[in-house]
Amino acid sequence: MSTGKTIRWGVIGAGDIARRFGQGLAHVPDTQIATVWSRRASTADALAQQFGAQSCASLDELLSSDIDAVYIATLHDSHADYAMAALAAGKPVLCEKPATINAAQLEGVLAVARDRKRLFMEAMKPPFYPLYRKLREHLAADPIGDIGLVRAGCSRTDVPADHATFSFEHMCGALLSLGIYEAFLAVDWLGAPLDVQTIGRLGPTGVDSFASLNCRHEQGFAQLFCGLDLHGSGDALLAAPHGHVTIHEPWWNPVRATIRYADGRVVELDHPFEGGGLNYETAHFCDLIRSGALESPVMTHAKSLQMISMMDAARATLGLKFAGE
């Protein structure tokens, strides 16, 4: 919606998520990819050519280029280091989820953001989708009461065995790749986690292949699951005293929700999305840059810390510790 100065993006990483980010910019006015850097020059060159950008030979070259913001699209293990480098260079940062692999790392990133007075946001897409916003607006006008239970999950069997999601070195696994979405949904509706109980299993590469979480939050309870060896694409349930909501699968790319009221009424919400979905969070971030904000009121730093603290607790129970932790 915003107009004015074009936001010139520097993209760190040149894989699939970076391409999807670039494709989404076609739906965000006054934006462009200006520079790209990746540890593999060939992928950076290809992405830069696709979007009419400059391929940089080093991270320092990208951070010193004429850009207004940085999007971090690398694997989990490097998010914190790249975020701190970009913030220290004075660049606002939109970092792909999970923002970091643990809460201690995130505290470090946020400390640099505060010190440099620069905007930082975790790229968590669901709350910016039109359907999700429409659902919140509807429940504000025609409430079902305070949400007291969130049930959600996602488990996939279509991830190739050699995919980085299974990489212990790159600090992936089901919790940090998929479970972070469910953690967002729980925190967004129920507030901070107070207790996280987890059962699950580690796969042959050493990362978690399935996890089931029962969580107590400030305002209720969450039942969450994530996995890489069972098939369950997943809807989401939000339960309250006077009704419940089903966000139909896949709930993290929401297009349809059903609200069933205790009095028998049923309301169907339907709202398609465009541009692959990443464009909505990007448009929000660009508006924050233009307004001079240092934090998103939707995807707050507190929410990111609460989400990753849930993943920390779950991994600790499963005995999953990465290098340097």
Side-chain angles (χ1 to χ4, degrees), residues 11 28 37 58 60 64 73 76 135-136 158 160 162 186 193 195 204 208 212 223 242 246 257 265 278 285:
V11 176
V28 183
W37 174 77
S58 67
D60 286 343
S64 62
H76 305 167
L135 174 62
R136 278 209 170 272
D158 60 346
D162 60 351
D195 184 36
D208 56 301
S212 176
Q223 299 172 338
H242 306 300
T246 300
R265 290 182 297 129
L278 299 183
F285 191 85

Side-chain angles (χ1 to χ4, degrees), residues 20-187:
R20 288 167 55 197
F21 172 81
Q23 290 163 353
L25 284 186
H27 300 266
V28 183
D30 304 315
T31 60
Q32 69 177 93
I33 295 180
T35 55
V36 179
W37 174 77
S38 173
R39 285 178 288 193
R40 287 198 299 165
S42 59
T43 60
D45 291 345
L47 188 74
Q49 183 175 8
Q50 180 178 354
F51 294 105
Q54 173 191 345
S55 178
C56 296
S58 67
L59 176 62
D60 286 343
E61 182 183 345
L62 179 138
L63 294 178
S64 62
S65 65
D66 181 19
I67 55 175
D68 304 292
V70 168
Y71 175 63
I72 298 174
T74 57
L75 296 174
H76 305 167
D77 60 309
S78 57
H79 286 183
D81 287 343
Y82 291 149
M84 287 190 285
L87 291 165
K91 308 300 183 183
V93 172
L94 178 63
C95 183
E96 195 41 57
K97 59 81 187 167
T100 60
I101 65 151
N102 57 42
Q105 278 193 352
L106 184 53
E107 290 280 14
V109 169
L110 295 178
V112 178
R114 288 191 297 269
D115 179 66
R116 298 294 293 172
K117 295 182 173 57
R118 289 297 181 269
L119 172 65
F120 176 84
M121 189 182 95
E122 182 173 10
M124 177 56 58
K125 61 183 178 178
F128 303 102
Y129 272 62
L131 184 281
Y132 198 94
R133 299 198 306 269
K134 187 175 184 179
L135 174 62
R136 278 209 170 272
E137 291 168 0
H138 182 92
L139 292 181
D142 191 0
I144 59 175
D146 293 335
I147 304 299
L149 172 68
V150 170
R151 188 181 70 207
C154 173
S155 187
R156 300 177 57 179
T157 55
D158 60 346
V159 181
D162 60 351
H163 194 273
T165 302
F166 290 103
S167 171
F168 182 88
E169 177 188 359
H170 293 301
M171 305 178 185
C172 297
L175 283 163
L176 291 179
S177 300
L178 303 174
I180 196 73
Y181 282 125
E182 282 74 55
F184 161 76
L185 194 69
V187 164

Side-chain angles (χ1 to χ4, degrees), residues 305-325:
L305 284 166
Q306 291 160 7
M307 290 155 46
I308 199 62
S309 73
M310 293 174 67
M311 301 297 95
D312 285 354
R315 287 199 298 115
T317 299
L318 298 182
L320 176 53
K321 181 181 290 189
F322 293 118
E325 291 191 296

Side-chain angles (χ1 to χ4, degrees), residues 211-235:
S212 176
L213 285 65
N214 279 331
C215 311
R216 182 169 60 94
H217 292 256
E218 291 175 322
Q219 296 151 30
F221 302 91
Q223 299 172 338
L224 315 171
F225 72 88
C226 58
L228 296 167
D229 57 9
L230 298 173
H231 183 267
S233 56
D235 57 8

